[in-house]
Amino acid sequence: MLRCLDLAQLGLGSTAPNPSVGCVIVHNNKIIGEGYTSPYGGAHAEVNAINSVEDASLLPASTLYVSLEPCAHYGKTPPCANLIVNKKIKRVVVACLDPFAKVNGAGIKMLMQAGIDVTVGVLEEEALEQNRRFITFHQEKRPYIILKWAETADGFVDGIRTSSTDPSLKITGDTANILVHKWRSEEAGIMVGKNTAMLDNPTLTTRKYKGKNPIRILLDEKSETPQTANIFNSEAETIVISENTHNLRSVLAELHARNIQSVLVEGGPTLHRSFYEAGLWDEIRRFVAPLNIGKGISALACTQTPQSETTIGADRLLTYRNR
């Protein structure tokens, strides 16, 4: 199952809105096949693992390990549970159940009704953690929310600026900036508010990392951001939300309806504070740089205890979980 989780990690960022799943097939204590979820629209992990087995005659005497319950419904692809039954695999070990309404135990039931020996719950916590975006999306009916910002050692995210022609404060180093672009490639959407879009004129793409661009989400109640802004260029899709922008639950409900599974919130402290105070966040990724500026725009005061702290170049990265 640890190998399943390693394989599933390879698909993160390309499978949404599907989960990223890993699958391993074992015969006589030897791995004879393995696979992970293809990019959205492609084959699931179980299909790729079964197709990788050179001698299909071994399947009926094999055990299939998978990090998420096999699907039991027709979507972009046929049900994986049907395939496992048809291949007469004798035993299946599952890390965790799939909370998607069309599965949610139906895959396990289908396997057991076919006489397959099924075990559920092996490395369950690790599997739930790996697919926390998918789990949150289906259980909470909203995207998984990550708040991200960088601040100086004395707690500021920027100096005082009155115009977009005033240069923004460069806080973090190159290593941290590349990591942020990697993070962008792993999420379905990236969000900013009107003030950030107009003052910083960000592109919000993965220019510094090879990966897909997230969907850009702009909260702009009066549609004041000019169409010449970088956020409207052709490099990525942009969604503008202009209604109920102060009602974050309404905003997240709209994103859920659009099948956007996760959002990296890169706006300023006002937007971060709105999510934080409403309790509508799942992770915080906070860079603290060895820089003091004396005065400026204050960062959100995060009162939680960090889950972890890492050094990225000269910067500290503190991560938090809303649990």
Side-chain angles (χ1 to χ4, degrees), residues 17-288:
N18 287 338
S20 185
V21 180
C23 181
V24 169
I25 300 172
V26 175
H27 180 268
N28 287 342
N29 294 320
K30 178 183 177 182
I31 292 177
I32 61 170
E34 59 182 29
Y36 59 94
T37 310
S38 300
Y40 180 61
H44 290 187
E46 299 93 324
V47 176
N48 288 331
I50 288 171
N51 288 343
S52 74
V53 176
E54 292 184 1
D55 185 355
S57 69
L58 299 178
L59 288 172
S62 299
T63 297
L64 182 146
Y65 295 82
V66 64
S67 60
L68 188 73
E69 175 185 5
C71 64
H73 67 291
Y74 283 86
K76 292 281 187 180
T77 60
C80 291
N82 277 0
L83 177 65
I84 294 169
V85 170
N86 292 339
K87 295 297 182 180
K88 297 182 171 54
I89 294 172
K90 67 172 183 177
R91 181 169 179 252
V92 174
V93 179
V94 180
C96 65
L97 296 180
D98 184 336
F100 182 44
K102 292 183 178 180
V103 186
N104 200 18
I108 300 298
K109 183 178 180 181
M110 185 181 295
L111 297 176
M112 294 180 71
Q113 286 177 339
I116 296 173
D117 178 10
V118 181
T119 300
V120 181
V122 176
L123 297 185
E124 181 178 28
E125 286 189 16
E126 291 84 347
L128 290 171
E129 166 69 13
Q130 187 175 61
N131 269 311
R132 59 193 182 278
R133 296 162 179 82
F134 178 79
I135 303 294
T136 298
F137 183 79
H138 288 287
Q139 290 185 339
E140 303 295 329
K141 308 303 180 186
R142 64 164 175 81
Y144 187 88
I145 299 299
I146 303 168
L147 309 182
K148 171 264 164 185
W149 72 86
E151 64 184 78
T152 62
D154 52 353
F156 299 105
V157 297
D158 201 356
I160 305 297
R161 290 188 290 149
T162 57
S163 168
S164 59
T165 59
D166 297 334
S168 60
L169 178 67
K170 180 176 172 57
I171 297 178
T172 51
D174 291 340
T175 304
N177 291 337
I178 292 170
L179 178 59
V180 169
H181 282 237
K182 178 179 183 294
W183 289 345
R184 290 177 178 179
S185 74
E186 295 170 347
E187 310 308 331
I190 183 168
M191 178 185 289
V192 295
K194 176 204 68 177
N195 290 341
T196 296
M198 295 182 67
L199 196 60
D200 292 351
N201 197 22
T203 304
L204 303 180
T205 58
T206 58
R207 301 177 308 282
K208 298 182 179 180
Y209 186 84
K210 185 179 180 181
K212 69 170 183 61
N213 290 319
I215 296 172
R216 299 175 293 200
I217 303 159
L218 172 63
L219 303 187
D220 187 351
E221 187 173 20
K222 298 181 180 179
S223 299
E224 296 175 279
T225 307
Q227 290 297 308
T228 54
N230 288 336
I231 199 169
F232 293 120
N233 68 23
S234 61
E235 294 178 26
E237 180 183 353
T238 299
I239 296 171
V240 180
I241 297 179
S242 57
E243 295 183 3
N244 297 319
T245 58
H246 296 292
N247 183 343
L248 290 180
R249 292 189 184 276
S250 175
V251 170
L252 296 185
E254 179 173 342
L255 297 179
H256 183 271
R258 290 174 178 263
N259 223 14
I260 295 175
Q261 199 175 98
S262 62
V263 177
L264 182 65
V265 181
E266 281 203 23
T270 300
L271 185 58
H272 288 144
R273 192 169 293 110
S274 297
F275 276 98
Y276 186 75
E277 292 178 352
L280 293 172
W281 62 278
D282 299 287
E283 287 185 45
I284 290 175
R285 299 175 184 177
R286 172 190 174 206
F287 286 104
V288 180

